[in-house]
Amino acid sequence: MSALRSSGLPIRSLDAFADGYSHTYGGRCSFPFGEIPEAVFGGSTADLTRLAAAFQPCKKIGLSLAHHIHKIDFLRTQEHSSRPEYDFELPPSYEEARENTRSLARLLNLCPTLEELHLAWEYDDFEETAGVREELYFFDRVVESCQFQGLKKCALYDIRMSEATLMTFFRQRTRLVHLDLELIHIDGHSDGLFRLLSTAMPELNYLRLQYLYSSSGTIYFPHEPRDNLVRFPLSRSAQRLIRRGVDARRPVITKIR
């Protein structure tokens, strides 16, 4: 990131692990949140001017993000493998985590003509302090600060968000042609999203939904045609659907359990 800041070369696409990595639990192949403020915005005024100019033509951003796990002592990790508190040092405060999420929004706002957004979160099962929660729910901050007026393709993986964030974001996505949601955790209900998919996105041409969870439970798609449905051997209903063409805009019927 710091190299991009200093070079000033035009950036049309930026992918930090989001497209090039198969997301698995514990993979930790991600861009650490704590490195964003310094790597992106830690330079001189001239550097920041070059950075803003470099991102002007950017059409696509893909980021896999994670907590900033830093100062790992690998020798001590081996000696105390049964004591995970020795392995990692997390952001010490809410204020630091808030600066990290604020910097992410600033980075995305450098791209006024963005058409593709792919955001992934690499989850680690840490104690949910105020700082950890701030980063877990980073998408709430992104939606508060970013417009994405020209967005056409969106993919979100393992993202946590409030119901208000969900509705605010997708009400404005009237130009979407491609939507891919996987492992989405919603604090609240999801009914509003499914109504928007069929009523407010007239250009939607591809829809993939998999492993969606709301406060009411796990979301299933029990009435999908066989061609659109991927069933798992031990499940009576599917947690995934894939639609293409005009079928992507057909009302989505769900079941919660």
Side-chain angles (χ1 to χ4, degrees):
M1 282 291 190
S2 57
L4 294 176
R5 182 186 67 208
S6 59
S7 71
L9 294 173
I11 301 166
R12 290 177 172 79
S13 176
L14 174 66
D15 179 8
F17 305 116
D19 281 340
Y21 178 64
S22 177
H23 302 284
T24 56
Y25 178 79
R28 299 194 181 90
C29 190
S30 306
F31 194 82
F33 239 131
E35 292 186 5
I36 294 178
E38 176 62 27
V40 180
F41 301 107
S44 65
T45 301
D47 285 338
L48 297 180
T49 300
R50 282 193 295 270
L51 185 71
F55 273 100
Q56 281 287 317
C58 186
K59 299 292 185 183
K60 176 181 178 180
I61 283 188
L63 294 173
S64 177
L65 299 164
H67 295 301
H68 189 184
I69 304 169
H70 55 97
K71 296 182 180 178
I72 298 178
D73 186 331
F74 289 100
L75 180 60
R76 188 172 62 178
T77 297
Q78 294 174 3
E79 293 173 350
H80 302 279
S81 58
S82 62
R83 301 180 63 184
E85 66 270 22
Y86 282 98
D87 296 352
F88 310 109
E89 183 176 336
L90 291 176
S93 68
Y94 167 81
E95 288 72 21
E96 181 178 2
R98 181 68 186 96
E99 179 59 25
N100 295 341
T101 57
R102 185 181 292 114
S103 294
L104 173 63
R106 289 178 62 196
L107 172 62
L108 295 175
N109 274 327
L110 292 177
C111 311
T113 60
L114 196 68
E115 295 182 356
E116 297 185 41
L117 178 66
H118 185 171
L119 295 175
W121 178 257
E122 290 297 323
Y123 181 75
D124 284 290
D125 190 16
F126 295 121
E127 179 184 357
E128 194 171 300
T129 64
V132 167
R133 182 177 175 83
E134 171 67 21
E135 293 187 344
L136 273 177
Y137 284 80
F138 74 90
F139 194 67
D140 286 359
R141 301 299 191 182
V142 168
V143 173
E144 285 177 5
S145 304
C146 303
Q147 297 298 317
F148 305 121
Q149 294 181 352
L151 200 65
K152 296 180 180 180
K153 295 185 178 182
C154 179
L156 302 177
Y157 177 89
D158 207 358
I159 305 294
R160 288 144 187 82
M161 67 182 78
S162 68
E163 181 180 353
T165 293
L166 177 82
M167 295 305 296
T168 298
F169 181 71
F170 283 106
R171 278 196 194 102
Q172 301 170 358
R173 304 283 76 79
T174 57
R175 299 182 61 188
L176 275 187
V177 298
H178 179 111
L179 179 60
D180 190 338
L181 303 178
E182 182 175 351
L183 271 175
I184 304 301
H185 306 262
I186 304 161
D187 286 357
H189 303 290
S190 57
D191 296 349
L193 168 63
F194 299 123
R195 285 193 294 270
L196 289 175
L197 291 175
S198 60
T199 61
M201 301 179 189
E203 300 177 48
L204 192 64
N205 193 53
Y206 177 88
L207 176 64
R208 178 177 177 271
L209 306 174
Q210 182 170 351
Y211 303 141
L212 307 186
Y213 306 94
S214 72
S215 295
S216 301
T218 302
I219 300 170
Y220 292 87
F221 310 103
H223 301 305
E224 284 299 295
R226 185 174 297 276
D227 289 345
N228 289 343
L229 191 65
V230 179
R231 290 184 181 273
F232 295 89
L234 300 180
S235 176
R236 293 183 178 179
S237 298
Q239 288 180 256
R240 176 168 68 171
L241 70 78
I242 299 175
R243 294 179 177 181
R244 296 176 176 84
V246 296
D247 196 43
R249 302 186 292 276
R250 184 168 53 82
V252 176
I253 307 301
T254 64
K255 181 178 181 180
I256 308 291
R257 67 182 188 190

